[in-house]
Amino acid sequence: MSSTKASELMAVSLLLLAAALLASREVSAKCTAIGVGRNASFDGSVMLAHTDDAGDGTSDLRLVRVPSMDWPEGSKRPVYPVRNGYPRIVSASRGGEYAPRKNQVETEPLGFIPQVSHTYAYWDQDYGLMNEHQLAVAESTCGARTVAKPLGQDGGQALLDIGELSKIAMERCKTARCAIHLMGSLGVEHGFYAEAIREDSGEALILADALDELWVFHILPTPDGSSAVWAAQRVRDDHAVVIANDFVIQEMDLNDTDTFLFSDNMVDVAVAQGWHNSTTEETFNFFATFGFEKKKYDPVMGLYSGRRMWRVFSLINAEYSETADPYVGFTPSTCESYPFSLAPDEAISLEGLFAILSDHYEGTEFDLTRGLAAGPFGNPNRFEGHQKGTKRLPGGFERPISIYRGTFSFVTQSSSSLPDGVGVAWYGQDQPAGSVWVPVYASQTKVPAEFLWGKQSEFSRASTWWAFNFVNNWMQLGYNKMLGDVQDARAKAQAEIFSVHEKIVAVAKRVPVKSLASYILTRGSSKIITELTVSWWSLSEKLIAKFSNGLITTGEEPGMRVGQGYPNWWLKAVGYTAWPPGPGPAVVTA
Ligand SMILES: *[C@@H]1O[C@H](CO)[C@@H](O)[C@H](O)[C@H]1NC(C)=O
Ligand SMILES: *[C@@H]1O[C@H](CO)[C@@H](O)[C@H](O)[C@H]1NC(C)=O
Ligand SMILES: *[C@@H]1O[C@H](CO)[C@@H](O)[C@H](O)[C@H]1NC(C)=O
């Protein structure tokens, strides 16, 4: 084969590889995770925030309470494969909500690990969320230089994904350190896998606990796909951290075991791969060593993580927003571009985190409510990619924190100053920008039916998710026309929920009997969920009547149904002022 032929072939296969990577980018789930230390939060609690931004493929919408359980000696814990859509799993081993109904058959496990004698109760969705001891996690998928496949798939050898690891941590641990050591050692022993593409083949969690500690955990497969490499870094109490689909642990002081934890094989694996020179290097940079250089095949991807990190840090720290460069991106080769964590100017409140989760870069040069792509009514939603079956154009849109495919989001609060049962996950359905967050408590035993509708393929008026999803979609008919009404409704509902929450917690804290406190919290949260769902459907009906057919209708009197027209900048941009086209109206001659 001639060398030109060979290099042509090489070029073609590189292009195909790039095309495959680009195509896969459109289907992967991508999430943003934020952590806030106890001295950086408004009330001394450690807070986590997460947006769940599922991609193609449906998600099981249920927020499920897995009860605490006792297990006879010699029990095995089934480990299930990753599955999109409803039902996430069918298994009697995870309590009543997941137990088989009617025609359902139990999910086939990938394998088993030994069970412990007692497992804790926790809130579960695709990942564990918070357990009865206030251990909480927030997740973000990361690029990694290694990939692995699950057992049973093309010679795959790995048993555990991050979903199952996080759930096992919820079942067995009270603290972030316990969770990190447990998840890490299980990954090393049984193998860890994520997506089979490097862009998504690693995982990160932020963990918070009732010792008021905040930790970041990273895990990726070993190069042979049979084990795992992991590391963790404690976040300073007065700092906040953000993960936006890339590892954030950078320089590690391997002697500082109060701050850094890692697998025994970490340095050896890096040295064996030629990614690290143990003899010549004093320090170890986790992201530079194990992160995947996304920028190599697509310049846009270099900004996919960096832009959101820049935005979160800019929103909490004014000096940072003036000095940081939003254009460098965050990649293994531009590692130092963004810090691991940053101190906020002011203590971060719940409202502050909800606003960050709802962000579309409003007011910045990347503002998605502006420009031709936002249409005449400032719609910040950008569907991804190009039409299937057509040539992919180079380029992209900004990736906001609140994205059109956002399925749910939450903010958790864990604190040593609270009874464990009162730890709280503020849970918001559908895209954060249109969401209202309700408290779900660590010792609450169930949620009402409105939070247990599982299907995205079937509309239901009995579902909170569908109420919020409907309003978010209806807004797209005229986003900024409806924005004021929706923002007012959100603010009013959230304020009411805060005040009810305070009352519920005040009562629950005074009750000496744990089970009674749990009953009060369960009833209080359930009532909030049911009332919010009713009020959001009622908002949707008001919006339907008020904003149909491009008109705004506010009553039956004259002048109460009026057209809004289009803004002039948009009319000019779409050729309105160039009408009529061609040589002018035809002259009809007899
Ligand atoms: C952080 O908060 C704790 C109490 O919540 C306090 O004891 C400690 O001194 C604070 N640390 C700093 C650096 O402010
Ligand atoms: C770690 O500690 C050992 C012995 O205390 C010392 O020789 C070594 O230089 C230290 N390494 C780093 C990276 O600080
Ligand atoms: C290891 O050291 C060699 C020789 O100094 C250098 O060429 C190489 O780039 C280094 N590798 C890494 C991963 O730093």
Side-chain angles (χ1 to χ4, degrees), residues 38-39 44 212 237-238 416:
R38 64 172 168 171
N39 298 61
D212 301 328
D237 288 341
D238 58 342
S416 61

Side-chain angles (χ1 to χ4, degrees), residues 231-283:
Q233 180 171 352
R234 185 165 174 191
V235 184
R236 281 175 52 164
D237 288 341
D238 58 342
H239 273 206
V241 65
V242 52
I243 309 182
N245 306 121
D246 267 312
F247 295 139
V248 296
I249 297 177
Q250 301 181 36
E251 290 297 336
M252 296 176 70
D253 178 347
L254 304 185
N255 283 352
D256 177 4
T257 49
D258 288 335
T259 311
F260 295 98
L261 304 169
F262 50 92
S263 53
D264 292 341
N265 62 357
M266 181 180 79
V267 176
D268 294 344
V269 166
V271 170
Q273 295 297 307
W275 297 338
H276 184 76
N277 287 335
S278 59
T279 48
T280 54
E281 287 169 43
E282 273 291 297
T283 57

Side-chain angles (χ1 to χ4, degrees), residues 321-451:
S321 77
E322 279 156 28
T323 53
D325 182 352
Y327 291 96
V328 280
F330 182 69
T331 71
S333 59
T334 59
C335 231
E336 324 71 49
S337 51
Y338 298 102
F340 170 73
S341 61
L342 195 68
D345 293 331
E346 284 168 24
I348 298 175
S349 63
L350 285 169
E351 295 92 329
L353 276 177
F354 296 158
I356 291 172
L357 293 177
S358 304
D359 187 70
H360 307 107
Y361 302 107
E362 280 89 346
T364 73
E365 62 203 283
F366 314 109
D367 191 341
L368 284 163
T369 66
R370 297 193 182 179
L372 196 53
F377 306 117
N379 186 349
N381 294 299
R382 302 283 186 279
F383 307 138
E384 273 153 314
H386 64 304
Q387 232 168 47
K388 297 256 152 76
T390 64
K391 181 168 162 272
R392 188 190 170 88
L393 299 172
F397 290 121
E398 287 300 332
R399 197 298 195 198
I401 299 166
S402 183
I403 193 166
Y404 72 94
R405 55 182 157 84
T407 311
F408 65 84
S409 64
F410 62 74
V411 172
T412 65
Q413 292 186 273
S414 309
S415 174
S416 61
S417 66
L418 284 176
D420 276 351
V422 186
V424 57
W426 295 90
Y427 201 88
Q429 299 283 6
D430 205 58
Q431 193 191 145
S435 209
V436 174
W437 288 265
V438 299
V440 175
Y441 302 99
S443 66
Q444 183 173 332
T445 52
K446 57 183 181 188
V447 283
E450 292 92 326
F451 261 37

Side-chain angles (χ1 to χ4, degrees), residues 199-247:
E199 182 208 325
D200 285 329
S201 62
E203 277 287 350
L205 297 177
I206 311 181
L207 299 101
D209 64 23
L211 296 178
D212 301 328
E213 291 194 5
L214 180 64
W215 285 84
V216 166
F217 173 74
H218 292 337
I219 187 166
L220 70 156
T222 48
D224 69 356
S226 71
S227 181
V229 173
W230 63 270
Q233 180 171 352
R234 185 165 174 191
V235 184
R236 281 175 52 164
D237 288 341
D238 58 342
H239 273 206
V241 65
V242 52
I243 309 182
N245 306 121
D246 267 312
F247 295 139

Side-chain angles (χ1 to χ4, degrees), residues 17 139 141 157 217 251 261 290 296 315 348 390 448 467 537:
L17 174 67
E139 180 272 355
T141 306
Q157 303 172 70
F217 173 74
E251 290 297 336
L261 304 169
F290 293 118
K296 274 199 184 131
L315 284 168
I348 298 175
T390 64
W537 282 123

